[in-house]
Amino acid sequence: MVDVANVMGSRPDGWWRDRAGAALRLHAEVVRLAASGRAVPPGETDPPDFVMVLEGAANAAASRMSPAAAPGEVRVVQARGSGDDAIVAVLRDLPGHRVVVTADRQLRERCVAAGASILGPGWLLGLLRP
């Protein structure tokens, strides 16, 4: 699961001028990464299913993102309020081993309490680089 706001905020590419556009770019990159099968978290043997959680102004990008139709595709969730609350709620509904990509200290604590593992944005961004 990807904390989109936190991951976008981890790279200084002008995301703050166009949050929806930055979310679209990140989504496209994650879709390519998911299709490549290279995104295997440490200690795992299989690539994950991705869930990207949008909040605030980034929600405007959701209508331009393709909905996940099959396992291995990137699912998009729009937070109605707090993105952190949405991440924890979705996390609790997902079966199996769950990994959340975020650097937000409070969110990390909540996700670990809900049974998830945590990876920092650097892990994901490192895989997105060509």
Side-chain angles (χ1 to χ4, degrees):
M1 182 170 309
V2 179
D3 178 356
V4 171
N6 191 265
V7 172
M8 283 187 335
S10 296
R11 60 178 174 185
D13 65 354
W15 61 266
W16 52 89
R17 290 188 296 268
D18 180 9
R19 292 171 198 258
L24 275 171
R25 287 190 304 276
L26 180 60
H27 179 263
E29 291 172 313
V30 171
V31 166
R32 283 191 300 276
L33 178 63
S36 78
R38 295 183 307 111
V40 179
E44 298 290 319
T45 56
D46 296 318
D49 291 331
F50 281 90
V51 178
M52 295 180 67
V53 179
L54 303 174
E55 66 179 301
N59 270 326
S63 65
R64 295 183 289 173
M65 295 176 177
S66 57
E73 294 183 350
V74 179
R75 180 176 154 210
V76 176
V77 172
Q78 291 180 265
R80 303 266 182 257
S82 161
D84 291 3
D85 290 347
I87 288 168
V88 174
V90 172
L91 176 66
R92 289 190 171 129
D93 288 339
L94 293 174
H97 183 241
R98 290 120 340 133
V99 177
V100 177
V101 179
T102 188
D104 181 300
R105 183 176 292 137
Q106 289 180 336
L107 178 58
R108 290 169 77 106
E109 291 171 3
R110 291 176 67 190
C111 292
V112 167
S117 298
I118 305 296
L119 289 171
W123 172 80
L124 179 61
L125 293 173
L127 291 171
L128 296 177
R129 291 186 188 105

